Amino acid sequence: EAQVTQNPRYLITVTGKKLTVTCSQNMNHEYMSWYRQDPGLGLRQIYYSMNVEVTDKGDVPEGYKVSRKEKRNFPLILESPSPNQTSLYFCASMSSLAGGNEQFFGPGTRLTVL
Amino acid sequence: DQQVKQNSPSLSVQEGRISILNCDYTNSMFDYFLWYKKYPAEGPTFLISISSIKDKNEDGRFTVFLNKSAKHLSLHIVPSQPGDSAVYFCAASIDSWGKLQFGAGTQVVVTP
C-alpha cells in the first residue's frame, strides 16, 4: 500500500529535550515536506526537500532541522523544543514528475512541549 | 500574513443539498489551486485541483470554480453526503513544485 508514515503519532516532551520525528514514504517520491497545523492558521510549511541531499526552508523553519540522506526518509529534528512548537505536524511527499502539486500526507504527529 | 483565506470556519448542510466552500487569495502569482479534505486523526487527502488557465474543474460530485479577477475560488459538493463531514482546506501555489499555501480550513457537517 502506498503511504507516508510518521512516528511517533503522539509525543509529550519537555522544553530543551532534543527530539526527532521520523517520516518515510514508499512511493519513490522525489519531493518531501514538513508542515505544522495550528488553529486558525491552517498548514504552514516548515522545510521541504526536492531530492536527496537537497533541502530548503519553508515559511516557518525557525527551531527545526531536517535531513534527506535517503530518498524515502525525511526526519524532522527539534534540537531544543519550546512550548511554541506544540502543534500537529504532517509530513508529505509528491512525485516531481507528476506535477499538479498533489501531495500525499502522513497521519500526523501531535507534539506537546511542556 | 495569510495569502489564502477561508473566512467561514464552519458550514452545516443537510444531506442531499449543495455544500459551497469559499476561498480567497491575495497573491496574483498563484497558478495552481487545490482542495484537501481532512478527517480527524488522519492526514489531509487530495480532493480536486484547478490550474489558473481554467475556470472550472469537475470530478464526480465535486466541482471547483476559479474566478481569477476576483481572486476567489469555491468548491461545490453536490449532493452532500454524511461521509463528506470533514475539514476542507484550500491551498494555492505559484508553481507545480510543491510549495503550498493553505487556508485555515472549513469544518463541514452534513446532517441527515
Side-chain angles (χ1 to χ4, degrees):
Chain A
E1 181 190 354
Q3 60 182 351
V4 179
T5 56
Q6 296 179 226
N7 283 292
R9 294 289 312 276
Y10 302 91
L11 178 61
I12 301 174
T13 189
V14 295
T15 299
K17 186 176 181 182
K18 181 180 178 179
L19 66 92
T20 300
V21 184
T22 65
C23 172
S24 183
Q25 50 94 5
N26 63 1
M27 295 169 279
N28 202 37
H29 285 167
E30 295 80 15
Y31 180 96
M32 297 185 75
S33 182
W34 276 101
Y35 295 87
R36 60 179 286 175
Q37 182 191 351
D38 300 291
L41 296 175
L43 283 81
R44 293 178 294 166
Q45 191 179 54
I46 303 170
Y47 268 94
Y48 66 97
S49 169
M50 300 290 283
N51 214 323
V52 176
E53 302 290 2
V54 181
T55 63
D56 208 347
K57 296 177 181 178
D59 294 321
V60 287
E62 296 78 19
Y64 304 94
K65 284 176 56 177
V66 293
S67 68
R68 187 92 183 273
K69 293 184 170 59
E70 305 164 284
K71 199 171 187 179
R72 64 183 292 128
N73 296 324
F74 190 45
L76 179 70
I77 303 154
L78 285 72
E79 294 267 4
S80 183
S82 63
N84 65 12
Q85 292 178 297
T86 292
S87 187
L88 180 57
Y89 291 86
F90 291 102
C91 180
S93 73
M94 181 181 79
S95 168
S96 299
L97 300 177
N101 255 325
E102 179 183 342
Q103 298 188 27
F104 295 84
F105 283 81
T109 295
R110 185 165 291 283
L111 172 65
T112 302
V113 183
L114 302 175
Chain B
D1 187 33
Q2 277 198 287
Q3 299 181 56
V4 177
K5 296 179 182 178
Q6 294 175 256
N7 292 319
S8 297
S10 63
L11 171 69
S12 182
V13 63
Q14 267 191 319
E15 183 178 0
R17 307 293 285 265
I18 183 172
S19 295
I20 300 177
L21 290 77
N22 294 304
C23 178
D24 297 295
Y25 61 95
T26 57
N27 190 340
S28 58
M29 299 290 288
F30 285 142
D31 219 18
Y32 286 90
F33 303 88
L34 305 90
W35 286 93
Y36 281 83
K37 177 179 180 179
K38 184 183 178 306
Y39 293 119
E42 295 183 12
T45 55
F46 171 77
L47 190 57
I48 192 169
S49 65
I50 188 168
S51 74
S52 59
I53 61 172
K54 295 185 175 183
D55 55 18
K56 176 183 174 181
N57 188 27
E58 195 170 348
D59 183 1
R61 297 185 297 113
F62 302 92
T63 303
V64 57
F65 295 92
L66 175 62
N67 182 334
K68 284 192 297 181
S69 61
K71 295 192 180 70
H72 177 84
L73 67 155
S74 62
L75 174 68
H76 292 207
I77 307 173
V78 184
S80 299
Q81 299 174 353
D84 296 330
S85 296
V87 176
Y88 291 78
F89 289 101
C90 171
S93 69
I94 292 173
D95 53 36
S96 63
W97 291 103
K99 186 167 174 56
L100 293 175
Q101 297 286 338
F102 282 84
T106 297
Q107 172 77 60
V108 172
V109 176
V110 179
T111 57

